[in-house]
Amino acid sequence: MELPGFAVAVWMFVCLYASVVGYPNGKVGEACTSMVPCHGGSPHLSPEHAMTVNWTEFKPGDSIEVHLSGPDFEGFFIQARDAEHLDSPAVGSFALADRRRSQLLTCGRTKNSAVSHTSKAKKSDIKVYWIAPEDAPKHVQFLATVVKKYRIFWVKIPGPIVSQPDVLSPTPPLHATSEAMSTSHPVSYISKPFSASGCGIMKFCIRNPTNCDPGSASCFFLSFQREESSVFIEMSGPSEGYLAFAFSHDQWMGGDDAYLCVNVDHRIHVSTAHLKERSHPLLDSENALEDVSWRLADGLLQCSFRRRIRLPAFKGRFNLDASYYIFLADGEASEGGLMYKHRRQPLVTDGLYNVTGLPLDIGGSRAPRLIKAHGALMFVAWITTVSIGVIVARFFKPVWSHSFLLGKELWFQVHRMLMLTTVMLTSISFVLPFVYRGGWSHQAGFHPYLGCAVMALTIFQPLMAGFRPSRHAPRRQLFNWFHWSTGTTARILAVVTMFLGMDLPALDLPDPWDTYAMIGFVAWHVGTDVLLEIHSYCLVRKVEVIEDDRVQILQSLTSAEAEGRLFKQIVLTIYVCGNIIFLVAFLIAINQV
């Protein structure tokens, strides 16, 4: 029963190890099907390398010389496949021309069906020989993946097509089937920004912020307009790297139909892709888009294209007459078109929508509702209830010592009520991210670890309070010290955890406003604490301390503290109002992301 779990662990280790170190020795058997190196990036769009052959016709058993050349590169991976079914397994076998720089690999059940590098030493050309099998298809195309540097690579660069004698050329033409190629349709230039007129009337629109103008420098805009059997799509936003949107069956990345507009050397490449979990998009070998146009000006990236509602011939393309969640993301791209991971959470619609159905004008959210609730409850707990509860316990014992509620001193009942509210809010909030993620998040840095520590201290504090010794017991002083230190540690860790959580992609509050506001709250609380400490110290200085007479000292302190009742109540009122203002500001910010 434990073997499958062990196998999964080994598999995860191998994948993680491979993604870190790459394949400098060329043993790339794991990439036989996709031909994508485990380098953690996206392939570049415009290949710099090419393949040539010495013959374009073959018969079973023939040997064809294949030559790969171009600017210096470190790694390569060459296969031959059925030109009419490029997703099929490798065809035929290879023989080497230079064993020092190339080696044979076995993909699937075909021995020596691929060739790769032996080291990461730079090379500018590679020559190998392909041997046609007895059961060769009518048309065979050579494909190559080339790695220039660790993060700069091209996948499935299309090579020549060779055919058996007296066989017609394959249709449609397959010379532009590379996953690294962009759209091959004619591309035109957009003359002006998009317009939101017709949103909700003639076309389905998504805007962020809500009702923003697509021509403004802060508006993300995506529209769909049905035209008989096709849909015309417009996308724009403040990005100089890339914009992308995707249709999804759920609110998680993975198994999605994606569309990319990427800035490559100040030209926009528009392509389709498939999203596989949280990895980089896998560009499609064929592009189903028509009437592609783009514009890059004034910090805005715009692209538009037309797509048929149903594309049964294109694998991975969703039918547009169904309902989906819609993602809209932006990010940076290198000069060669390498897409970097988006730094903030994509905009996601709050429900399933059919873009060819009733025209709507909607917005979206960059933070899931459960994560918003998590942040809101934590802010209520650790900005409001804990802070006020600590101030009451620390400074209001003498002020409310003669007031009682339900048989207990008023200060104690208020303190206990606020602290139990904190425990309840923190416990509910703690569970929400696990419900949303379905488990532990490995993308959130130290935030979840510190959050677990805060949760543990939050539960431990009331449990410890349940064993509080009586007021005059010998261990009461030790209890007081532990109670104070545990609570103080929890508060400090909670503030640090909130600082870290505010900038996580799932709840990315506006920078630098969120940091300044949090610093302001900390300063507000510390300032109030210091003010009340100074006030208490000044009252104590007025007391005539009688040495070795503890009863007289306590009586004098109690009397002096009572004199400052009005001042403390005013400070507490102002402090509570200030905390509520900070809380409302954070809740408004959470609601707007």
Side-chain angles (χ1 to χ4, degrees):
M1 295 295 291
E2 297 182 358
L3 183 58
F6 176 75
V8 170
V10 172
W11 177 82
M12 291 178 63
F13 172 78
V14 171
C15 288
L16 291 172
Y17 181 78
S19 66
V20 173
V21 302
Y23 299 99
N25 61 0
K27 301 293 186 180
V28 294
E30 291 85 353
C32 276
T33 302
S34 66
M35 298 186 70
V36 178
C38 290
H39 291 186
S42 294
H44 282 227
L45 299 175
S46 301
E48 300 177 351
H49 306 78
M51 284 187 289
T52 58
V53 294
N54 61 340
W55 296 102
T56 58
E57 289 188 357
F58 72 91
K59 292 182 294 185
D62 284 354
S63 175
I64 294 180
E65 179 183 301
V66 182
H67 188 221
L68 171 67
S69 61
D72 286 351
F73 54 94
E74 294 180 353
F76 67 92
F77 187 53
I78 300 174
Q79 279 187 356
R81 295 189 180 184
D82 185 342
E84 295 178 322
H85 303 283
L86 289 178
D87 291 333
S88 60
V91 174
S93 59
F94 287 90
L96 302 178
D98 186 349
R99 294 184 177 275
R100 295 174 302 172
R101 300 193 302 165
S102 58
Q103 62 182 326
L104 298 173
L105 298 177
T106 297
C107 286
R109 298 180 179 179
T110 308
K111 188 176 181 180
N112 301 335
S113 54
V115 186
S116 71
H117 53 282
T118 56
S119 71
K120 60 185 297 185
K122 290 185 177 181
K123 51 194 79 71
S124 60
D125 65 277
I126 287 292
K127 184 170 64 174
V128 295
Y129 299 97
W130 178 72
I131 302 171
E134 292 295 331
D135 57 348
K138 297 178 181 179
H139 309 282
V140 174
Q141 183 170 24
F142 296 98
L143 302 175
T145 290
V146 177
V147 178
K148 185 175 182 179
K149 291 182 180 180
Y150 185 78
R151 291 282 186 179
I152 303 177
F153 57 90
W154 296 264
V155 174
K156 289 186 180 179
I157 299 174
I161 297 176
V162 295
S163 305
Q164 296 193 42
D166 302 324
V167 175
L168 295 177
S169 298
T171 57
L174 299 176
H175 57 276
T177 57
S178 169
E179 286 188 11
M181 296 296 286
S182 62
T183 175
S184 59
H185 297 287
V187 176
S188 61
Y189 186 76
I190 300 172
S191 59
K192 59 181 180 181
F194 297 138
S195 172
S197 61
C199 286
I201 303 172
M202 299 175 57
K203 54 187 180 181
F204 184 101
C205 297
I206 300 173
R207 292 192 272 176
N208 181 253
T210 305
N211 298 324
C212 64
D213 179 8
S216 69
S218 60
C219 181
F220 289 91
F221 177 76
L222 179 62
S223 72
F224 304 85
Q225 185 170 359
R226 181 165 184 168
E227 300 173 345
E228 295 182 355
S229 62
S230 64
V231 176
F232 184 68
I233 302 170
E234 297 175 323
M235 179 167 57
S236 68
S239 175
E240 295 186 354
Y242 69 87
L243 288 176
F245 78 90
F247 297 109
S248 178
H249 295 291
D250 51 38
Q251 292 183 303
W252 293 94
M253 289 181 61
D256 305 329
D257 179 10
Y259 300 81
L260 317 176
C261 296
V262 185
N263 181 3
V264 182
D265 299 327
H266 305 290
R267 294 182 62 86
I268 305 303
H269 286 251
V270 182
S271 58
T272 56
H274 181 73
L275 299 183
K276 186 178 180 181
E277 297 180 351
R278 290 179 170 268
S279 60
H280 288 266
L282 302 175
L283 301 182
D284 292 327
S285 58
E286 296 179 273
N287 205 324
L289 309 180
E290 302 173 351
D291 300 333
V292 175
S293 300
W294 63 271
R295 180 174 183 261
L296 187 62
D298 303 323
L300 281 178
L301 190 157
Q302 298 173 256
C303 62
S304 64
F305 49 87
R306 184 171 280 101
R307 210 216 88 165
R308 292 189 176 276
I309 295 176
R310 290 178 174 268
L311 291 168
F314 292 85
K315 185 179 179 181
R317 300 278 71 77
F318 292 179
N319 294 330
L320 298 187
D321 53 1
S323 296
Y324 307 100
Y325 288 98
I326 303 172
F327 290 67
L328 178 59
D330 67 292
E332 298 178 354
S334 67
E335 293 183 358
L338 174 63
M339 296 171 59
Y340 298 117
K341 181 181 178 181
H342 44 79
R343 293 184 177 179
R344 58 178 174 175
Q345 192 84 349
L347 186 75
V348 184
T349 57
D350 58 1
L352 297 163
Y353 291 95
N354 184 347
V355 297
T356 61
L358 182 67
L360 298 174
D361 188 5
I362 65 172
S365 174
R366 295 188 183 276
R369 290 179 179 177
L370 288 177
I371 300 300
K372 284 185 176 184
H374 167 74
L377 292 176
M378 285 300 188
F379 278 124
V380 172
W382 295 95
I383 285 183
T384 308
T385 57
V386 157
S387 303
I388 297 173
V390 169
I391 292 290
V392 168
R394 178 72 180 86
F395 299 104
F396 281 78
K397 289 181 184 180
V399 177
W400 292 343
S401 60
H402 300 293
S403 300
F404 293 87
L405 178 65
L406 300 177
K408 296 284 186 179
E409 294 176 329
L410 179 60
W411 73 265
F412 177 76
Q413 293 287 48
V414 172
H415 172 74
R416 182 165 64 176
M417 178 190 68
L418 291 172
M419 291 309 179
L420 289 177
T421 302
T422 299
V423 174
M424 179 185 68
L425 294 175
T426 303
S427 300
I428 296 173
S429 179
F430 179 79
V431 174
L432 296 181
F434 291 97
V435 175
Y436 171 70
R437 294 287 183 188
W440 185 265
S441 173
H442 298 281
Q443 311 292 328
F446 289 105
H447 178 78
Y449 298 98
L450 293 177
C452 289
V454 171
M455 186 70 250
L457 293 174
T458 302
I459 296 297
F460 179 70
Q461 187 76 328
L463 292 177
M464 181 171 56
F467 296 94
R468 178 177 63 253
S470 61
R471 181 171 298 179
H472 302 295
R475 293 179 296 175
R476 180 58 180 257
Q477 187 174 2
L478 182 63
F479 165 82
N480 289 341
W481 187 89
F482 272 110
H483 190 61
W484 173 86
S485 60
T486 302
T488 302
T489 302
R491 289 165 58 208
I492 293 173
L493 288 178
V495 170
V496 173
T497 306
M498 286 190 290
F499 264 111
L500 296 176
M502 290 187 302
D503 290 326
L504 290 176
L507 187 67
D508 190 11
L509 298 182
D511 286 325
W513 176 91
D514 57 345
T515 302
Y516 294 153
M518 201 65 192
I519 293 174
F521 163 71
V522 173
W524 174 254
H525 178 77
V526 172
T528 302
D529 206 317
V530 170
L531 177 63
L532 291 174
E533 285 286 0
I534 293 175
H535 176 259
S536 298
Y537 176 77
C538 291
L539 289 179
V540 171
R541 294 289 295 173
K542 294 180 181 180
V543 176
E544 181 181 359
V545 180
I546 301 175
E547 189 173 359
D548 297 330
D549 190 349
R550 295 186 59 83
V551 176
Q552 180 63 39
I553 293 174
L554 290 172
Q555 290 175 347
S556 301
L557 287 173
T558 301
S559 176
E561 288 288 355
E563 294 177 7
R565 176 180 302 178
L566 178 61
F567 176 80
K568 288 187 175 182
Q569 289 179 341
I570 292 174
V571 171
L572 179 63
T573 302
I574 296 174
Y575 177 73
V576 170
C577 292
N579 280 31
I580 292 175
I581 291 173
F582 277 109
L583 177 63
V584 170
F586 278 114
L587 294 181
I588 291 174
I590 289 174
N591 185 59
Q592 290 179 344
V593 296

